Amino acid sequence: MTVGAAARRARWVALATALVLACLPLALERAAAPAEAWRLRVAAVGETVDDERARAVVLPHRWADDCAGCRALWYRIDHPMPDLPGEAQAVVLPQLADNAAVYLNGRLLGQGGRFADPVARLGMRPLWLPAPAALWQAGDNRLYVLVKAARPGAGHMPAPAIGPEAELAGAWWVREALAVTLPQVLATAAIVLALMMGAMAWYRRREPGYRELAVAAALFGADTHARLFVEVPFAAETWDAVLLGQRGVLVVAVLWLVRSLARAARDDVAPEGARIADGTGRVPRRALCGPLAATGSAAVAAVLLASASFVPAASAVDVAEALARLVLGAAAMVLARDGWRRAEPRLLASGALLALACGIDLLRLPPLALPNALPAGLLPEPLPLVPWALAAMAAAAGWLLLVRFVETLNAAELLNIDLEALVHERTAELQAQFGRVRELERQQVVAAERERLMRDMHDGVGGHLVSILAMIEADRRRPGELATAVREALTDMRLMVDSLEPVDDDLNAVLAMFHDRLAPRLRASGVTLHWDVALLPAVPGLTPARVLHVLRILQEAVSNALRHGGARTLWMRAAAGPDGVEIELRDDGTGFAPDGVAGGRGLKNMQRRAQEAGAAVHIASRPGDGCRVSLRLPLVGSAGEGGPPPPGAHPAAGPA
């Protein structure tokens, strides 16, 4: 099937659906009408109970035809019964305007509500009154019905049905369901739909349709519930004004909804570049010419109706209701036309259904009320079709917006899937890149550590081995000097090995290793060591290079104290202060004058190593008073290898 054939088929299916939905309430009305065998079609009507001027009328009786100024009338209906009924009887008034009280043989059967102003309004709901068998009598029975209207000339008396309850209950139940129960359900559903669409409109403000449908559905629910009130809260004029105001606002809301649905259909069908000529996303003004022209024509037609000779007693309320139906019908035809052009069956069906309902109601309901001009019993009491059509239109609009919302969600989900796949792809690429960067960094760290070890071995162990080799080549085979040189080489090698141990920024472990290496050597030399090291905090950035610098500074200080100062006692203290960790090594040697040994290579090495370790070294000594070497390591902001000297670092001087 081609696209054009499918579009034509969708159009005709939508029109057939609209026709079926319009005829369905009419068929249900026929089922809700009591059988003609139980209807009473003739009555005498007067202004009092036994009005001598009572005249005979054919029921149903519409006051606007012959009693435009009446507000209350009495109907006398004779109902002969040859025998007493053997089963429970009932009196049914299918449709009243506006309230009634029914008497059987002088006994009150019941009434529809309050008779004092504001009078109760039964509207389209049927009045069911049980008639006990004890109230009936063989022969003549007289039924009196007092009917009171809210406005002069607005009364209506239907043809009552009198018969067994079992025969009338089915029709009454269907009529009650159509006139009361179903409108209540539809009004409640409309309010729920309004809340849902309002929530969606709050989160999707830029999309047309949600806000408009929420307003229209809320107004439809409020208008329907208000028209179901029996005991109205205000005077008749005020309540009529409220109802007309609600109906007018509802008509405007429906026009707004029709415009948004047409706009949504254009956005869904037209390509992006051809939707709106000016690119603003708004419906062009020419698209509103049809509704405006239809509205103007409807207003003119309403005025003609109100002034026509065949409806001289039409009230302002009836004319306003007719005008509302005309405007809704014009808007519905615009919506149906738009749905036809775009082969959108939901818009076409809802628009055609509303247009049919408005046309049928204009013919059947006041001010025209053409069924009253037909023979009695030919058509049942009419129910307005516009509420059903509006409910169907709201359902179609809700379904259309829901489908669009689901399609948007599906598109968003597909986009999210594509984005997730792209993110996974980019993530894998970044992870691979980061892996390569980490491998390069690891190789650089290994190369830098290898270079540092080679440099330290060259400067430390290499220098000692060169000294030993020079002594051997010069044939200075003095065991004491050779042993000292070898011991210093071993000590330097051990310092390098100790610096490679993982310490996790723990200076306590570093000093403990230094103590383990230093104590045996001092005991062998007869030197006393006083060890006073407190529990120290972690020193950030305590790398193997910094550890080696600290150990060599301390080793250099010990060697100078023993070799040049002849010290016999050493004091080692370490504690944490506000500026960092301070390590102090003090001896009781001969001491020296710092100014006299400013060019010593050993003390310059201590200064260089302290600078590279991000520490500060301070040396204090006097001849005959020993020497004190202080090393301060900061806890924060530690400089790396090769960084600038921290504040407070003093030049070191002393013998090599």
Side-chain angles (χ1 to χ4, degrees):
M1 183 181 293
T2 63
V3 177
R8 287 193 297 271
R9 180 179 179 182
R11 291 189 184 103
W12 290 112
V13 169
L15 290 177
T17 302
L19 183 60
V20 170
L21 292 178
C23 293
L24 180 60
L26 300 179
L28 293 176
E29 280 182 5
R30 176 65 63 180
E36 188 63 27
W38 310 110
R39 305 295 286 268
L40 302 179
R41 294 292 180 178
V42 179
V45 59
E47 296 183 2
T48 60
V49 176
D50 294 317
D51 192 350
E52 295 180 355
R53 295 175 297 173
R55 64 188 186 280
V57 294
V58 178
L59 302 179
H61 178 220
R62 182 167 172 252
W63 297 5
D65 297 333
D66 55 6
C67 192
C70 299
R71 281 207 59 196
L73 289 178
W74 284 89
Y75 291 86
R76 185 179 71 245
I77 304 173
D78 293 326
H79 182 56
M81 296 185 68
D83 300 313
L84 292 176
E87 54 185 325
Q89 303 289 301
V91 177
V92 178
L93 300 177
Q95 182 177 343
L96 275 171
D98 288 295
N99 193 13
V102 180
Y103 299 83
L104 176 61
N105 295 326
R107 301 288 297 274
L108 177 65
L109 294 182
Q111 61 188 49
R114 181 178 59 209
F115 268 83
D117 290 331
V119 66
R121 299 189 181 191
L122 296 182
M124 297 295 172
R125 69 178 67 218
L127 180 60
W128 171 278
L129 298 173
L135 298 181
W136 295 95
Q137 58 189 15
D140 293 336
N141 293 273
R142 180 159 290 183
L143 197 71
Y144 286 96
V145 181
L146 172 61
V147 179
K148 186 174 182 179
R151 302 187 313 272
H156 176 79
M157 172 63 183
I162 301 177
E165 289 184 354
E167 297 291 339
L168 301 178
W172 173 84
W173 184 88
V174 175
R175 179 81 184 189
E176 179 78 10
L178 293 176
V180 180
T181 306
L182 193 54
Q184 289 176 342
V185 172
L186 292 178
T188 304
I191 292 176
V192 174
L193 178 64
L195 294 176
M196 295 174 56
M197 292 297 107
M200 296 181 68
W202 176 262
Y203 290 104
R204 308 182 75 86
R205 296 182 179 88
R206 296 185 178 180
E207 295 186 15
Y210 299 110
R211 179 176 60 253
E212 294 84 350
L213 180 56
V215 173
L219 290 173
F220 170 73
D223 182 74
T224 303
H225 277 301
R227 292 176 184 274
L228 292 175
F229 281 8
V230 175
E231 305 289 345
V232 297
F234 308 117
E237 295 78 6
T238 304
W239 187 244
D240 288 338
V242 170
L243 295 181
L244 289 178
Q246 280 188 338
R247 182 56 59 90
V249 177
L250 175 59
V251 169
V252 174
V254 172
L255 292 176
W256 190 27
L257 175 61
V258 167
R259 178 179 180 272
S260 68
L261 291 178
R263 174 184 173 187
R266 291 185 180 93
D267 291 345
D268 292 339
V269 175
E272 184 67 27
R275 287 179 187 170
I276 304 300
D278 58 1
T280 61
R282 299 176 180 175
V283 178
R285 292 184 178 179
R286 63 178 178 272
L288 300 178
C289 293
L292 292 177
T295 303
S297 301
V300 173
V303 174
L304 293 177
L305 280 175
S307 59
S309 59
F310 54 84
V311 284
S315 68
V317 175
D318 294 336
V319 172
E321 293 284 354
L323 174 60
R325 297 186 192 104
L326 282 171
V327 175
L328 287 177
M333 287 188 289
V334 172
L335 181 62
R337 182 202 62 183
D338 206 71
W340 177 275
R341 290 179 176 177
R342 287 164 179 78
E344 172 51 58
R346 288 161 294 193
L347 295 182
L348 177 56
S350 59
L353 176 60
L354 182 57
L356 285 173
C358 291
I360 294 173
D361 282 354
L362 279 171
L363 296 176
R364 300 196 311 160
L365 300 178
L368 290 180
L370 293 184
N372 290 335
L374 299 177
L378 186 61
L379 292 178
E381 289 77 9
L383 288 169
L385 301 184
V386 170
W388 319 113
L390 287 177
M393 178 180 174
W399 179 257
L400 180 66
L401 295 177
L402 180 62
V403 169
R404 189 180 69 182
F405 179 73
V406 172
E407 291 176 351
T408 303
L409 287 183
N410 291 337
E413 290 179 357
L414 293 177
L415 180 60
N416 288 335
I417 293 174
D418 295 340
L419 289 177
E420 288 179 0
L422 182 61
V423 168
H424 287 319
E425 181 181 353
R426 294 293 184 265
T427 301
E429 294 178 358
L430 290 175
Q431 288 178 347
Q433 184 68 22
F434 289 156
R436 290 191 292 268
V437 171
R438 285 194 295 268
E439 180 63 23
L440 290 176
E441 291 177 349
R442 188 189 66 81
Q443 293 177 2
Q444 291 176 356
V445 170
V446 171
E449 190 66 16
R450 184 184 295 115
E451 181 181 357
R452 184 186 66 81
L453 289 175
M454 292 175 64
R455 184 175 65 249
D456 290 338
M457 291 180 67
H458 177 272
D459 295 342
V461 178
H464 293 299
L465 293 178
V466 169
S467 298
I468 294 172
L469 181 60
M471 285 189 292
I472 293 174
E473 290 177 349
D475 198 20
R476 291 184 298 166
R477 299 180 181 179
R478 300 174 184 176
E481 293 181 1
L482 287 175
T484 299
V486 172
R487 188 179 298 110
E488 289 179 352
L490 288 174
T491 300
D492 198 76
M493 179 66 71
R494 287 165 180 165
L495 289 179
M496 293 176 60
V497 172
D498 290 342
S499 68
L500 296 177
E501 291 291 332
V503 296
D504 296 331
D505 299 337
D506 187 5
L507 189 58
N508 298 282
V510 175
L511 296 180
M513 290 188 297
F514 180 72
H515 177 271
D516 293 341
R517 300 292 187 188
L518 179 64
R521 177 184 172 187
L522 295 181
R523 283 196 299 270
S525 302
V527 178
T528 303
L529 174 63
H530 296 279
W531 189 266
D532 183 17
V533 176
L535 183 62
L536 304 176
V539 178
L542 198 58
T543 61
R546 296 186 69 195
V547 170
L548 183 59
H549 289 320
V550 171
L551 293 177
R552 280 186 169 170
I553 291 173
L554 297 177
Q555 181 66 30
E556 185 72 25
V558 172
S559 297
N560 288 340
L562 298 180
R563 183 184 307 168
H564 302 290
R568 306 305 299 169
T569 304
L570 296 178
W571 289 268
M572 183 76 174
R573 186 185 66 85
D579 298 331
V581 176
E582 185 173 0
I583 304 173
E584 180 183 278
L585 181 65
R586 183 166 57 87
D587 64 74
D588 61 350
T590 58
F592 62 91
D595 296 337
V597 291
R601 185 164 59 89
L603 297 184
K604 286 185 177 181
N605 286 338
M606 294 172 65
Q607 180 186 6
R608 177 181 60 81
R609 292 185 181 280
Q611 181 179 4
E612 292 179 356
V617 64
H618 178 74
I619 301 174
S621 179
R622 289 186 306 178
D625 196 21
C627 179
R628 185 178 76 251
V629 178
S630 298
L631 178 66
R632 190 179 77 250
L633 291 170
L635 295 178
V636 294
S638 301
E641 186 173 348
H650 303 286

